[in-house]
Amino acid sequence: MAYKVTLIPGDGIGPEVTDSAVKVLEATGVSFEWEIVEAGQKVIEKEGTPLPESVLESLKRNRIGLKGPLTTPIGGGFRSVNVALRQMLDLYASVRPARSIAGEGTLYSDIDLVVVREATEELYSGVEHWVDRDHSAAETIDIVTRKASEKIVKFAFEYAVKEKRRKVTAVHKANIMKYTGGLFQEVAQKMAKSYPSIQFEERLIDNMAMQLVKKPQDYDVIVTTNLFGDILSDLCSGLAGGLGIAPGAIIGDGIALFEPVHGSAPKYAGKDKVNPVATILSGEMMLKYLGERRAAERVWKAVYDTIREKKHVTYDLALPGYTNRPVEPSTCSAMTNEIVKKVEAF
Ligand code: NAD
């Protein structure tokens, strides 16, 4: 039976990198039926919105999606499509693994951690206003609820159990933000008691940023609120080699959307130049989510070996200034073909 998956190619480099991911996923032999729907800047003129109802309907029906990056329109009163998708489908957990791939693009060759970020509330609730008519002060409301905190912390522990991880670190700023941070801290401490086999610890956000740069190997699953998670997940993507190879997912109860961390990089659109690995590894996360563990392992190994061999890698893993092992850069399609070949061979 084929898995029916909503495919959103997206804007800019999105169609190229999602096409690569589809080729690699199909090379595993797992059957997919792709329901292609369009969102983003390219549909605004025709649909009057970057997020047509048909996209939401498709995701609600299939409960699983693979998505390219979307350009956030500047001005025009449109909300970020990504934020809207999270809120409308209650995709409350943003999951971003950071694994060093063959020591490429990173000072470390042994990072293997995951940032789990609450993705629907807190400082990104969108409740903002000017305090006075002169616009001399502005206010953003930081909303943290017990319900959302419990959902995300439980998600992190369940993820740790499922992925055979050893430790969960809860990150907050409860010493200063005593209500919002304090609530998240209380929920995490309580939840940890239900998972005695998983080690639990806490870090203040400022200390966590420093620790991650100094000793990222010490961390495993990190769970935190929206703004801190946004920053830490980019920090971790950088630690583990950069945007070209950083995958991600936003997950709710029984629904999941897999997407690279990077944006639509419009200046490279249609140039067959960018790294497809971030989207391919988002597909690998999707395979794991579907329980297709053997296929996921083959994809991971094919990506790892391609990057280690460095015969067919894109500019961000090839050129001096981006890597300390410079080689001649390949195209997006050549790198994809190499990964496909390896997946088929394993
Ligand atoms: P970006 O990630 O698109 O690009 C930043 C730079 O990173 C690029 O110029 C390029 O040098 C590099 N880069 C990105 N992806 C790469 C890849 N696969 N391989 C090699 N190099 C890569 O970020 P930006 O320029 O800030 O944003 C462009 C647009 O994307 C904006 O409209 C933004 O809102 C949107 N965006 C969307 C998402 C999403 O849909 N999830 C995420 C981030 C940004």
Side-chain angles (χ1 to χ4, degrees), residues 135-195:
H135 291 191
S136 60
E139 189 175 48
T140 300
I141 311 286
D142 181 359
I143 302 165
V144 171
T145 64
R146 187 172 298 279
K147 189 173 163 209
S149 301
E150 281 173 354
K151 271 166 85 171
I152 197 68
V153 176
K154 187 167 198 297
F155 181 94
F157 276 102
E158 288 292 328
Y159 181 91
V161 171
K162 191 170 154 219
E163 296 294 325
K164 300 191 171 46
R165 299 247 169 195
R166 71 195 147 86
K167 182 166 79 169
V168 170
T169 305
V171 179
H172 53 72
K173 189 74 180 168
N175 57 334
I176 305 290
M177 294 147 81
K178 293 186 192 301
Y179 289 82
T180 49
L183 173 56
F184 187 78
Q185 177 187 38
E186 181 204 317
V187 166
Q189 288 174 348
K190 222 185 243 168
M191 191 70 72
K193 295 202 172 83
S194 308
Y195 295 87

Side-chain angles (χ1 to χ4, degrees), residues 114-125:
V114 182
V115 179
V116 174
R117 157 191 169 199
E118 204 293 322
T120 60
E121 60 172 25
E122 207 230 356
L123 279 159
Y124 290 8
S125 310

Side-chain angles (χ1 to χ4, degrees), residues 67 69-72 82 259 262-265 267-268 274-275 315:
K67 169 181 164 294
L70 303 175
T71 300
T72 301
N82 296 307
E259 59 173 347
H262 62 72
S264 55
K267 70 177 172 192
Y268 293 137
V274 295
N275 196 333
Y315 78 95

